[in-house]
């Protein structure tokens, strides 16, 4: 029997906290967090009607009464326990469980402001809440100002990577919001949601160290705001940073969600705990589309594309109109060459919502697969118009510019990608490849090193670094890179071809012979008759002849004669004659 996780709680209690989270996030205009909580709620195991009576949100959960109408002994329900724990953060009265100040004029003002917020009249919402003092009203007012500033910043930015693209445009409301929230933070008057907003502001102002502290306090104060967890993740650029902050996080299933989501790139090789978190969440939330997508993403980062394909197909079948993570599914289909399936996916996404960044990326991948890179660029730029901080779209845009031989535009796209997500190894690797194309090898090495810090077992990146070092005539460094490439789960063919040649170049015959033997085994498995195989056979024949092993040398020479290259066949014939002459001479000496 498996040991339950430290955060294990009855499903009824989990339903209670998630229901309250949906309401709390909706009241503050955090619709993405509310949607996530709703998906998590419906991802819990199905319960029958009898078991769900105690958790029915329509039934007042105060005290049970007897048939005669008198109150029986007090029973604390999950809802009551939840209200007592998070009353201040939710803006509830701890005694009644109702909104604090529900019948006051401020609450009426809040209701009107929330209506304006829902209609996206953010200026009007902020204006009428100026005199309101509750945490909920303060959050909605400052959040409205923040959204107004973001809207105007987007208007100032103009076309993505165009002549009028003002990448330095800033949110002009940030400074005022920062001043007010900093004062409240110093005074200790901010609730969990205001601390979340303060964390966003600090990130925008490039003060990520303090942002980590504030967001950590926010999720400890109220763990069920998924948006706070999502903004905390990009502030932790490495696995070491994530591991360091782990003891400071609350004991909750939300922590497992967060740790799994932020360590997806590491789960396959470095982070065995990630597999445990995934299994725990799959057991607790067996119907959750989000958890299934996380499993598919783990498989994708592990380069197990067939299994990732199967899991994504299952998610799409169960949730045909869910667009989240379908851009990654399109990457899987692109990599596996399933053009017809990618075409169908692009069509279905466009029918669901043509104005979602995920839809634009799926369509962009489809055009890229067809070789229509100009159209692909159009759709990736459209995705960025809808969400300028969409790091994956920036990376894909950089790939398309590389296909179009526009290296300078590719560099700019990759730089934007790592600005928004420093853990995107594809963008770092793309920068390395681009600078290598421009013959700027030292710059390329710097970016390859950043990529290997994130993906230390990815042999492709190590091979790219080795090629850079070869271009700089640093053979020993290149050998180290190619040797490191062999430590991954997939032994890179490039490394096995390069290592013996480099050892031969620096005069290390023993090491060269070792790797030539390994590469020859690979050629035999592939039934290849290439020039590389002929070179390996010739070197091993000369090596064995020098060691006095004439029989082995003759076998290698004969194998070299079977290769397709005429020049190598001539060398093999000459070597075979020499070896046979040596054998004859040896026999004559024995007779004498």
């Amino acid at each position: 029997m498996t040991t339950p996780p430290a955060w294990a709680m009855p499903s009824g209690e989990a339903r209670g906290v998630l229901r309250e989270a949906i309401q709390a996030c909706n009241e503050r205009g955090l619709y993405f967090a509310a949607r996530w909580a709703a998906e998590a709620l419906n991802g819990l195991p199905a319960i029958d009607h009898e078991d769900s009576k105690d958790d029915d949100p329509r039934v007042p959960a105060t005290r049970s009464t007897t048939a005669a109408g008198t109150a029986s002994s007090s029973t604390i329900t999950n809802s009551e326990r939840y209200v007592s724990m998070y009353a201040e953060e939710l803006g509830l009265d701890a005694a009644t469980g109702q909104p604090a100040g529900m019948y006051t004029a401020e609450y009426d003002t809040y209701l009107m402001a929330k209506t304006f917020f829902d209609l996206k009249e953010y200026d009007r919402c902020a204006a009428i809440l100026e005199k309101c003092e509750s945490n909920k009203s303060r959050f909605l007012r400052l959040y409205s100002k923040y959204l107004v500033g973001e809207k105007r910043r987007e208007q100032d930015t103009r076309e993505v990577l165009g002549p009028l693209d003002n990448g330095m445009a800033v949110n002009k409301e940030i400074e005022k919001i920062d001043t007010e929230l900093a004062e409240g933070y110093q005074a200790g008057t901010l609730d969990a949601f205001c601390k979340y907003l303060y964390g966003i502001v600090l990130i925008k102002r490039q003060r990520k160290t303090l942002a980590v502290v504030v967001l950590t306090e926010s999720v400890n104060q109220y763990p069920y705001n998924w948006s706070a967890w999502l903004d905390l993740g990009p502030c932790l650029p490495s696995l070491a940073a994530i591991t360091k902050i782990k003891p400071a996080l609350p004991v909750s299933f939300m922590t497992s969600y967060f740790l799994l989501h932020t360590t997806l790139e590491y789960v396959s090789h470095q982070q065995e705990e990630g597999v445990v978190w995934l299994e725990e969440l799959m057991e607790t939330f067996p119907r959750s589309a989000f958890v299934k997508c996380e499993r598919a993403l783990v498989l994708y980062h592990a380069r197990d594309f067939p299994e990732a394909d199967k899991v994504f197909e299952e998610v799409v079948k169960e949730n045909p109109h869910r667009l989240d993570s379908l851009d990654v599914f399109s990457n899987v289909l692109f990599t596996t060459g399933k053009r017809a399936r990618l075409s169908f996916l692009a069509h279905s996404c466009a029918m669901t919502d043509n104005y979602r960044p995920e839809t634009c990326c799926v369509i962009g991948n489809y055009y890229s697969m067809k070789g229509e890179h100009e159209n692909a660029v159009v759709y990736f730029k459209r995705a960025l118009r809808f969400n300028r901080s969409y790091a994956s779209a920036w990376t894909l845009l950089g790939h398309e510019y590389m296909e179009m031989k526009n290296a300078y535009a590719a560099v700019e796209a990759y730089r934007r990608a790592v600005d928004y997500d420093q853990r995107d190894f594809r963008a770092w690797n793309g920068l390395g490849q681009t600078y290598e194309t421009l013959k700027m090898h030292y710059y390329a090495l710097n970016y390859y090193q950043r990529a290997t810090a994130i993906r230390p077992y990815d042999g492709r990146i190590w091979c790219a670094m080795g090629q850079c070092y070869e271009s700089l005539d640093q053979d020993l460094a290149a050998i180290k890179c190619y040797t490191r490439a062999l430590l991954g789960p997939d032994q890179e063919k490039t490394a096995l071809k390069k290592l013996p040649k480099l050892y031969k170049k620096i005069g290390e015959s023993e090491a060269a012979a070792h790797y030539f033997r390994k590469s020859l085994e690979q050629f035999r498995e592939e039934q290849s008759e290439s020039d590389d195989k002929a070179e390996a056979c010739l070197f091993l024949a000369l090596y064995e002849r020098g060691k006095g092993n004439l029989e082995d040398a003759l076998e290698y020479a004969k194998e070299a004669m079977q290769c397709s290259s005429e020049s190598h066949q001539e060398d093999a014939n000459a070597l075979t004659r020499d070896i046979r002459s040596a054998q004859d001479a040896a026999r004559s000496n024995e007779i004498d």
Side-chain angles (χ1 to χ4, degrees), residues 35 141 388 457 525 569:
R35 186 191 69 175
R141 172 172 57 82
R388 191 60 70 114
Y457 293 96
E525 290 177 3
Q569 285 180 353

Side-chain angles (χ1 to χ4, degrees), residues 322-360:
R322 188 180 190 273
L323 298 179
D324 299 68
S325 300
L326 289 192
D327 55 327
V328 181
F329 184 26
S330 71
N331 293 341
V332 173
L333 296 174
F334 182 96
T335 305
T336 53
K338 295 185 177 180
R339 180 171 167 178
R341 181 66 183 93
L342 181 55
S343 173
F344 182 78
L345 179 66
H347 179 73
S348 60
C349 289
M351 293 296 291
T352 300
D353 188 350
N354 202 26
Y355 299 98
R356 278 280 293 273
E358 292 88 348
T359 298
C360 296

Side-chain angles (χ1 to χ4, degrees), residues 130-396:
E130 283 294 341
K131 296 182 180 179
C132 296
E133 298 178 355
S134 69
N135 278 322
K136 187 186 296 184
S137 297
R138 174 164 60 177
F139 175 85
L140 193 62
R141 172 172 57 82
L142 295 176
Y143 190 45
S144 296
K145 288 185 176 181
Y146 171 78
L147 293 178
V148 167
E150 285 296 290
K151 182 178 178 181
R152 290 170 183 162
R153 182 182 66 83
E154 287 294 330
Q155 291 172 350
D156 293 340
T157 303
R158 305 289 182 88
E159 182 184 356
V160 176
L161 294 185
L164 299 177
D165 182 2
N166 182 11
M168 302 302 292
V170 296
N171 185 333
K172 297 178 181 178
E173 300 292 333
I174 285 288
E175 187 173 353
K176 297 176 183 177
I177 300 171
D178 186 11
T179 301
E180 182 172 343
L181 289 175
E183 291 175 357
Y185 183 71
Q186 293 296 330
T189 59
L190 299 185
D191 68 347
F193 290 96
C194 286
K195 285 181 180 178
Y196 157 63
L197 182 57
Y198 187 34
I200 295 177
V201 170
L202 291 171
I203 292 172
K204 290 287 185 181
R205 307 201 76 177
Q206 301 299 318
R207 299 168 62 189
K208 292 189 177 181
T209 303
L210 181 56
V212 169
V213 175
V214 173
L215 289 172
T216 303
E217 290 180 11
S218 175
V219 297
N220 274 281
Q221 205 167 335
Y222 182 70
Y224 304 103
N225 175 14
W226 180 240
S227 294
W229 293 99
L230 280 185
D231 283 302
L232 176 59
C235 297
L236 307 171
S238 65
L239 182 60
I242 297 169
T243 305
K244 183 178 179 181
I245 199 177
K246 189 164 62 171
L249 300 176
V251 180
S252 168
F253 62 83
M254 298 296 292
T255 300
S256 292
Y257 268 117
F258 166 73
L259 292 173
L260 174 62
H261 186 72
T262 51
T263 58
L264 285 174
E265 305 91 25
Y266 312 105
V267 168
S268 56
H269 305 307
Q270 292 174 272
Q271 186 61 289
E272 294 181 359
E273 278 185 302
V275 178
V276 177
W277 297 326
L278 180 60
E279 291 174 352
E280 290 174 351
L281 291 172
M282 289 179 66
E283 184 176 351
T284 307
F285 299 88
R287 300 188 300 158
S288 171
F290 181 85
V291 175
K292 291 177 181 178
C293 278
E294 294 294 283
R295 177 168 174 259
L297 291 173
V298 168
L299 294 168
Y300 168 73
H301 287 293
R303 299 185 63 77
D304 189 352
F305 298 123
E307 284 300 316
D309 190 352
K310 291 179 183 178
V311 178
F312 273 123
E313 289 287 4
E314 180 185 346
V315 172
V316 171
K317 184 178 180 180
E318 294 175 357
N319 306 270
H321 302 293
R322 188 180 190 273
L323 298 179
D324 299 68
S325 300
L326 289 192
D327 55 327
V328 181
F329 184 26
S330 71
N331 293 341
V332 173
L333 296 174
F334 182 96
T335 305
T336 53
K338 295 185 177 180
R339 180 171 167 178
R341 181 66 183 93
L342 181 55
S343 173
F344 182 78
L345 179 66
H347 179 73
S348 60
C349 289
M351 293 296 291
T352 300
D353 188 350
N354 202 26
Y355 299 98
R356 278 280 293 273
E358 292 88 348
T359 298
C360 296
C361 284
V362 172
I363 298 173
N365 271 334
Y366 172 66
Y367 279 119
S368 180
M369 196 173 193
K370 288 178 64 180
E372 299 180 16
H373 301 296
E374 293 81 2
N375 288 332
V377 165
V378 169
Y379 274 94
F380 290 136
K381 284 186 174 183
R382 183 177 296 180
L384 293 167
R385 285 295 295 168
F386 298 137
N387 182 1
R388 191 60 70 114
S389 61
Y390 196 12
S392 180
W394 282 113
T395 302
L396 292 172

Side-chain angles (χ1 to χ4, degrees), residues 456-472:
Y457 293 96
D458 196 324
R460 298 167 301 163
I461 306 174
W462 287 107
C463 286
M465 283 184 65
Q467 290 172 357
C468 262
Y469 279 120
E470 279 193 86
S471 300
L472 296 170

Side-chain angles (χ1 to χ4, degrees), residues 39-92:
E39 283 192 345
L41 173 63
N42 286 275
L44 289 165
I47 55 175
D48 57 33
H49 180 68
E50 292 297 325
D51 293 337
S52 64
K53 284 182 178 179
D54 294 335
D55 293 309
D56 191 340
R58 299 169 298 176
V59 180
T62 52
R63 296 173 183 268
S64 58
T65 56
T66 62
T70 58
S72 64
S73 59
S74 301
T75 303
I76 300 178
T77 65
N78 294 330
S79 299
E80 290 174 324
R81 186 183 301 111
Y82 181 81
V83 167
S84 65
M85 289 173 62
Y86 301 115
E88 182 179 351
E89 285 72 25
L90 299 176
L92 304 177

